[in-house]
Amino acid sequence: MRLLSLLLSSLHHHHRRSSSLFFPISTHLSRTMATSAGEPISPSNTRLGWIGTGVMGLSMSSHLINAGYTLTIFTRTPSKAQPLLSLGAHWADSPKTVASKSDVVFSIVGYPSDVRHVILHPSTGAVSGLNPGGVIVDMTTSDPSLAVEIHSAATSVGCSAVDAPVSGGDRGARNATLSIFAGGDEPIIQKLHPIFTLLGRVYYMGAPGKGQFTKLANQITIASTMVGLCEGLVYAHKAGLDLNLYLDAISTGAAGSKSLDLYGTRILKRDFAAGFFVNHFVKDLGICLRECQNMNLALPGLALAQQLYLSLKAYGEGDLGTQALVLALERLNNVSLESGAVLGEKA
């Protein structure tokens, strides 16, 4: 028995030396093992990556830095990353490099083609640089089918992917009050909860792609609501009402809405700066219409709103915010809320 004990001890010692020699346990893997074992995600055990620092991404990623997380970032326009670098973020030269230095990688870019490029590109995409057990969280509003494809690609290399588009605009991003619609594997989304709470409130919506379907339904609702808000303002103006009093009067009644709260005053001040770009909204509504066709679903309100927003693009106003829809309705009716004058006449 003593001989057997000595033999087992020798084998155990040899195994530990061999493991140390050929399979060193990196800091990353230690962290991954710790979190998978139940330790909550925190700045001490999880490195984060961020791809895309536009109107939304800049504010969102800054919350993560301020919470103490190590953040590595990539954006196509390096100058847009400067505020984050000043806060302590680290620059990477590609999405792949971001992923190689991170445990969880977030992306929020413009279009589905951008999502495909930064995540799935075979030589520079984030999936190609993921560490074992890594997670990709795409927060761009994109195609549900692409979300499923990304989840499959991540799973094939022993990693995970979540589609988590957001609603709340630039104000929600700045104030960390976004609604986050998450699709994917529920245990992964639960694990990411400490990070999501730094950005807003997360809602688990189901399997991969369901987060995107939720965001598209959200956009359909917003589109029709914005049409109603702008049409109501044009009508109230034509009726000779004081528009500030009008908005104040309806805001606490049944016509009150988040869109009214966020954009009503901006419209009256002619503040058309983008909290969410017309160009991106046209993209979102186009995805909605394609999905409607796949479902044999007729949503005429959605189609009308998309056409009105397309007219803004035709006038070169795609980089304005979605509240600029009032400009299209002003042109249709040959009036201006700004001056009270008929368009084309001198005030």
Side-chain angles (χ1 to χ4, degrees):
M1 288 295 292
R2 177 176 174 77
L3 179 61
L4 178 60
S5 177
L6 289 171
L7 178 61
L8 288 174
S9 176
S10 175
L11 287 173
H12 177 67
H13 179 68
H14 175 73
H15 172 72
R16 288 181 62 189
R17 290 186 59 194
S18 299
S19 296
S20 299
L21 180 62
F22 297 110
F23 303 104
I25 300 177
S26 68
T27 303
H28 163 72
L29 288 179
S30 296
R31 279 196 296 262
T32 302
M33 290 167 65
T35 53
S36 65
E39 181 183 338
I41 282 179
S42 72
S44 65
N45 62 29
T46 305
R47 303 165 302 168
L48 303 182
W50 197 280
I51 301 167
T53 56
V55 172
M56 301 290 287
L58 185 64
S59 294
M60 295 165 71
S61 54
S62 68
H63 296 314
L64 306 184
I65 298 174
N66 291 334
Y69 283 94
T70 299
L71 189 72
T72 303
I73 60 174
F74 170 81
T75 186
R76 288 182 300 184
T77 308
S79 60
K80 290 185 177 181
Q82 192 56 51
L84 297 172
L85 297 176
S86 299
L87 289 175
H90 305 283
W91 173 257
D93 59 4
S94 71
K96 179 178 181 177
T97 305
V98 170
S100 70
K101 297 177 181 296
S102 307
D103 303 306
V104 182
V105 180
F106 293 84
S107 60
I108 183 163
V109 292
Y111 298 87
S113 58
D114 299 319
V115 174
R116 181 175 294 279
H117 183 78
V118 301
I119 296 180
L120 295 178
H121 191 282
S123 58
T124 62
V127 166
S128 66
L130 283 174
N131 293 294
V135 183
I136 285 189
V137 182
D138 182 38
M139 309 190 87
T140 316
T141 302
S142 185
D143 294 302
S145 59
L146 180 55
V148 174
E149 185 179 347
I150 291 169
H151 181 270
S152 177
T155 301
S156 70
V157 294
C159 297
S160 304
V162 173
D163 50 294
V166 300
S167 181
D170 60 328
R171 185 181 299 180
R174 287 195 305 271
N175 296 335
T177 56
L178 294 168
S179 292
I180 305 165
F181 312 125
D185 300 321
E186 189 171 9
I188 297 297
I189 294 164
Q190 289 176 343
K191 178 180 171 181
L192 296 173
H193 193 266
I195 305 175
F196 284 136
T197 56
L198 298 172
L199 307 175
R201 181 175 178 181
V202 64
Y203 298 86
Y204 176 63
M205 303 309 298
K210 297 301 185 185
Q212 293 295 353
F213 275 119
T214 304
K215 178 59 186 291
L216 295 176
N218 177 83
Q219 299 303 73
I220 292 169
T221 305
I222 288 176
S224 294
T225 302
M226 189 68 79
V227 172
L229 171 60
C230 293
E231 287 189 344
L233 283 168
V234 171
Y235 180 89
H237 163 73
K238 197 74 171 180
L241 297 177
D242 180 305
L243 296 185
N244 286 292
L245 288 176
Y246 160 71
L247 284 181
D248 189 50
I250 70 168
S251 64
T252 57
S257 69
K258 199 74 169 181
S259 292
L260 189 155
D261 295 340
L262 288 172
Y263 299 116
T265 301
R266 292 193 202 187
I267 291 170
L268 296 190
K269 291 181 177 179
R270 312 302 282 185
D271 176 5
F272 299 129
F276 192 76
F277 290 110
V278 166
N279 281 332
H280 291 167
F281 204 45
V282 169
K283 174 262 296 185
D284 292 355
L285 300 184
I287 295 173
C288 291
L289 287 169
R290 289 197 299 274
E291 292 296 332
C292 284
Q293 186 167 338
N294 293 338
M295 299 174 182
N296 291 322
L297 189 63
L299 298 180
L302 163 63
L304 171 61
Q306 196 251 8
Q307 291 293 297
L308 290 170
Y309 275 105
L310 272 177
S311 77
L312 294 178
K313 285 196 67 172
Y315 272 86
E317 296 160 345
D319 287 332
L320 299 181
T322 51
Q323 70 273 25
L325 181 66
V326 72
L327 298 175
L329 290 164
E330 287 178 340
R331 284 190 284 261
L332 277 175
N333 292 284
N334 199 33
V335 300
S336 171
L337 305 189
E338 181 179 24
S339 63
V342 175
L343 291 181
E345 293 183 357
K346 293 182 179 179

